[in-house]
């Protein structure tokens, strides 16, 4: 109650991007004759941006030059294939539409490269968000609060009126560093028990639950899946 702005993480929160991330990562690893990674490994590696995903995925003795090459090959492949298997989580489009109908402002903040964040949000959620931003030069990545502060300034919202929604320990830390409330989701890239161990105060299991927390509406007003 009382929130004027909902800030969402992207990967694992509103979009299931895991399979496309895995495909592009393994393409890049193969190009350098490095061992590929499983879906479960990739799920635990994501959250701190593409560069960190690459560093976590390569062998410990991989040279900086080879890491750079894997990174470049990943970017090249992911630019073309970032939406091949990616899908919105069930109930997310309806929840976002309902939030928009209330007049609440919404934003996306991600550690994913900005080009991918812009493309994916435009493709899956056209017109749903008031501000969208990914990783950019000069802006420290989450869990540093820089991008949250930027959104608060751009949308002219006090931190006490904003809530942050994410799926990982990075999101818990980001909200804490920015001094805003947070809610974690259980359908993303981290397990519910792990999120509570990392300091989550509330973890929800369904997008409609989030809607009722931010701006309660009756069941009849909530858009149904088609």
């Amino acid at each position: 109650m009382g929130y004027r702005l909902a800030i969402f993480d992207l990967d694992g929160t509103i979009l299931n991007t895991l399979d496309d991330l895995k495909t592009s990562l393994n393409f890049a690893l193969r190009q350098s004759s490095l061992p590929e990674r499983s879906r479960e490994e990739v799920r635990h590696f994501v959250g701190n941006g593409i560069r960190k995903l690459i560093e976590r995925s390569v062998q410990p003795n991989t040279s900086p030059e080879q890491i750079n090459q894997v990174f470049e090959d990943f970017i090249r492949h992911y630019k073309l294939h970032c939406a091949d298997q990616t899908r919105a989580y069930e109930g997310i489009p309806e929840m976002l539409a309902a939030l928009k109908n209330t007049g609440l402002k919404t934003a996306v903040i991600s550690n994913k490269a900005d080009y991918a964040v812009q493309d994916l949000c435009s493709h899956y959620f056209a017109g749903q968000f008031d501000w969208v931003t990914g990783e950019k030069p000069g802006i420290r990545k989450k869990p540093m609060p820089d991008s949250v502060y930027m959104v608060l300034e751009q949308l002219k919202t006090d931190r006490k009126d904003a809530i942050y929604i994410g799926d990982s320990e990075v999101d818990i830390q980001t909200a804490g560093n920015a001094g805003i409330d947070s809610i974690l989701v259980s359908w993303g890239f981290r397990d519910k028990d792990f999120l509570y161990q990392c300091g989550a105060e509330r973890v929800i299991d369904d997008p409609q639950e989030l809607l009722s927390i931010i701006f309660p509406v009756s069941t009849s007003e909530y858009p149904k899946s088609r």
Side-chain angles (χ1 to χ4, degrees):
M1 294 290 287
Y3 295 114
R4 296 177 52 227
L5 168 64
I7 303 173
F8 291 87
D9 172 54
L10 184 70
D11 298 68
T13 300
I14 58 175
L15 282 181
N16 187 347
T17 57
L18 188 57
D19 289 322
D20 284 327
L21 289 168
K22 180 179 78 73
T23 298
S24 290
L25 173 65
N26 284 333
F27 168 83
L29 292 171
R30 286 196 304 272
Q31 297 303 107
S32 293
S33 300
L34 293 171
E36 297 183 26
R37 292 294 190 169
S38 69
R39 191 177 191 272
E40 188 65 12
E41 286 176 317
V42 177
R43 184 170 78 92
H44 289 286
F45 290 162
V46 298
N48 294 92
I50 292 173
R51 182 75 187 193
K52 185 60 70 173
L53 167 62
I54 302 302
E55 291 174 353
R56 289 168 175 164
S57 300
V58 299
Q59 300 298 97
N61 60 346
T62 304
S63 69
E65 293 76 18
Q66 197 167 29
I67 292 175
N68 288 338
Q69 186 60 56
V70 174
F71 178 79
E72 291 173 7
D73 287 336
F74 177 97
I75 294 296
R76 175 165 56 88
H77 190 274
Y78 196 64
K79 280 184 176 180
L80 299 175
H81 300 283
C82 67
D84 288 359
Q85 303 173 79
T86 289
R87 297 291 182 271
Y89 286 104
E90 184 177 357
I92 291 294
E94 294 81 12
M95 180 270 292
L96 291 174
L99 285 181
K100 191 171 183 64
N101 287 340
T102 70
L104 191 90
K105 295 178 182 177
T106 55
V108 170
I109 293 175
S110 175
N111 278 341
K112 185 190 291 291
D114 189 62
Y115 73 83
V117 177
Q118 301 296 336
D119 287 350
L120 289 170
C121 286
S122 176
H123 181 73
Y124 291 100
F125 308 113
Q128 291 291 342
F129 292 105
D130 298 289
W131 192 265
V132 173
T133 188
E135 180 184 4
K136 294 179 180 178
I139 303 293
R140 294 179 298 176
K141 295 193 295 292
K142 301 183 297 183
M144 302 307 293
D146 302 37
S147 53
V148 175
Y149 292 158
M150 179 179 66
V151 168
L152 292 175
E153 180 179 356
Q154 291 293 331
L155 298 182
K156 297 178 173 54
T157 305
D158 192 278
R159 70 182 69 186
K160 67 179 174 59
D161 297 320
I163 188 166
Y164 184 99
I165 303 97
D167 74 303
S168 75
E169 70 280 10
V170 175
D171 297 312
I172 296 170
Q173 295 162 7
T174 301
N177 290 338
I180 65 174
D181 292 344
S182 65
I183 295 175
L184 279 295
V185 305
S186 66
W187 56 78
F189 296 167
R190 301 292 189 268
D191 297 327
K192 193 171 187 176
D193 289 344
F194 176 79
L195 293 174
Y196 279 123
Q197 290 169 14
C198 290
E201 295 184 358
R202 186 165 189 173
V203 183
I204 62 170
D205 300 315
D206 184 274
Q208 187 169 2
E209 194 177 349
L210 175 63
L211 184 68
S212 67
I213 294 169
I214 296 177
F215 197 96
V217 294
S218 69
T219 303
S220 61
E221 293 176 293
Y222 188 78
K224 302 298 183 183
S225 301
R226 297 179 181 177

